[in-house]
Amino acid sequence: MAMESLAIIMAVLILLLAAGIPISYAIGISALAAILKTVPLDVSVLTAAQRTFVGMSKFSLTAIPFFVLAGNLMNQGGIAKRLVDFVLAILGKLPGALLVTNVGANALFGAISGSASAAAAAVGSMVMEGEREQGYDEALCAATNGASAPSGLLIPPSNALITYSLVSGGTSVAALFLAGYFPGILWAACCILVAVVIAGRKGYRKPSGSYDWKNLGVSALRAIPSLSLIIVVIGGIIAGIFTATEGSAIAVVYALILGICYGNITIKSFWKIVVDSAKMSGMIVFLIGVSNILGWVMAFTQIPQAISEALIGLTDSRILLLLIMNFLLLVAGTFMDVTPAILIFTPLFLPVVTAFGMHPVQFGLILVYNLCIGNITPPVGNTLFVAIKVGNTSLSKVMPYMLMYYGAILAGLMLVTYIPAVSMALPWAAGLIK
């Protein structure tokens, strides 16, 4: 019954998505379709409504709307320019300095804003003008911008990791946040390596002259208020001073004050930011609520157990099992956004990895890393297409460079997958997990 129910869920889900039905409705309808063989319609609909309400009633969900609002305030608050200048002051002496700066600024701004597409748009538009003046290849610039933007989604505060915490049954948000630093930095480092190699081949030499310590000091002072958001919020959560939900509220107040001080947020713009954040938060929270129906159906029909038995029966090699799961997640990520994919695949694969001893924190980073790659992979690839638009180029010109970035990013994925310390070292050191 389990595999038959899974087949019904996937078939109905694919058909509804192909027909243009919103993902939240598609998840709920496909779950109900799978349960109707064993549960009467009136009982299943009533239970589904109850599960949706329960799924949206968790207090910890409050962190998501607050972090969305904080990210939107940061997007409008004049943060990106200060971060770009700061990163350029640090990395500006490397070959292809502006490409490398683009990568570093995307990692910082993506972490603060919580949006890869926002990072690609804000940082890319600022760096692109200088890249054109120095004769950089526009397609290369767009590829660098797009490839590096999702790195910030792994670096806390991360809504994707908060969502995973909820779906996985309460995995520590503090542990997940700490675990995200090294994978996020690893992603950015892979992109920097590729950018430096290509820059060397194309003759984009490093700027002449000595290191400008005065410029670094000035840029750091200008960037400190923005960077302090990460230090205050994440530091407070990890130290146990406040919860993730309380930290998200502090982030909103901090971002609002910073935007007002910079003169970039007015009463009119603030109202628009609040409305946009409410719409985005409503979609995310409703999606999480509806996914509770899917979780109930999977538990009732024992789909996770069947998946676990099937994969373990296929091979007893941990290496091959992880390769298969990575492949499936990479394929799914090319068609689905990060949040719905987390909601669908966490209950499917988490029992499998925990069966052979993997910690849920490590799997959470593997899952999010995989799905972030989908952000820059056609046919969906929203972040990649934002970068292409900002760079005023085309997909056909960008893809040859993207293939090199894909190779480096996938190498990083293998490290996160097979070396637990890459994601677990900081949570272990902090004593958050054993």
Side-chain angles (χ1 to χ4, degrees), residues 314-355:
L314 186 65
T315 175
D316 59 358
S317 169
R318 174 177 174 151
I319 294 175
L320 286 178
L321 279 174
L322 289 173
L323 277 177
I324 292 169
M325 282 189 285
N326 275 330
F327 174 76
L328 294 174
L329 290 171
L330 285 170
V331 172
T334 63
F335 293 94
M336 302 180 68
D337 288 333
V338 173
T339 299
I342 290 173
L343 299 174
I344 291 171
F345 289 100
T346 299
L348 285 178
F349 290 150
L350 185 57
V352 179
V353 297
T354 53

Side-chain angles (χ1 to χ4, degrees), residues 55-297:
M56 294 190 297
S57 299
K58 297 175 182 176
F59 179 74
S60 53
L61 270 178
T62 312
I64 292 178
F66 275 128
F67 275 128
V68 169
L69 178 56
N72 286 338
L73 288 169
M74 283 288 183
N75 289 345
Q76 300 294 324
I79 306 301
K81 180 65 168 64
R82 289 167 173 80
L83 294 180
V84 169
D85 291 342
F86 174 59
V87 175
L88 182 60
I90 297 174
L91 304 176
K93 291 301 179 180
L94 291 174
L98 291 177
L99 296 176
V100 176
T101 297
N102 197 158
V103 175
N106 269 342
L108 285 177
F109 190 71
I112 291 173
S113 69
S115 170
S117 296
V123 175
S125 60
M126 292 179 183
V127 177
M128 192 65 67
E129 184 176 346
E131 290 170 332
R132 289 195 184 104
E133 289 176 357
Q134 295 189 25
Y136 283 37
D137 184 338
E138 289 186 343
L140 171 59
C141 296
T144 305
N145 186 31
S148 59
S151 61
L153 298 184
L154 292 161
I155 301 171
S158 167
N159 286 333
L161 293 177
I162 294 174
T163 302
Y164 171 77
S165 171
L166 294 167
V167 181
S168 63
T171 304
S172 168
V173 173
L176 286 168
F177 276 6
L178 266 186
Y181 278 109
F182 283 166
I185 293 171
L186 176 62
W187 183 309
C190 290
C191 292
I192 287 175
L193 177 62
V194 173
V196 169
V197 169
I198 297 177
R201 290 178 180 177
K202 286 184 168 289
Y204 303 152
R205 302 302 177 190
K206 62 181 181 180
S208 58
S210 59
Y211 203 83
D212 192 342
W213 292 101
K214 180 180 179 181
N215 181 46
L216 175 60
V218 172
S219 301
L221 286 174
R222 284 169 52 84
I224 281 175
S226 306
L227 297 174
S228 296
L229 172 69
I230 298 177
I231 298 171
V232 170
V233 174
I234 306 306
I237 294 172
I238 293 169
I241 299 172
F242 42 73
T243 65
T245 302
E246 293 164 343
S248 64
I250 292 170
V252 170
V253 175
Y254 189 101
L256 178 60
I257 293 173
L258 204 59
I260 293 173
C261 291
Y262 287 160
N264 293 314
I265 294 179
T266 62
I267 294 177
K268 184 178 179 180
S269 64
F270 176 69
W271 176 248
K272 184 178 185 303
I273 290 169
V274 170
V275 171
D276 291 342
S277 300
K279 290 178 180 178
M280 186 184 303
S281 301
M283 289 188 291
I284 294 172
V285 173
F286 179 65
L287 182 56
I288 292 174
V290 171
S291 73
N292 235 29
I293 305 173
L294 184 61
W296 164 63
V297 171

Side-chain angles (χ1 to χ4, degrees), residues 8 38 126 131 208-209 314 366 396-397 419:
I8 292 173
T38 53
M126 292 179 183
E131 290 170 332
S208 58
L314 186 65
I366 294 172
S396 60
K397 294 179 180 178
I419 304 178

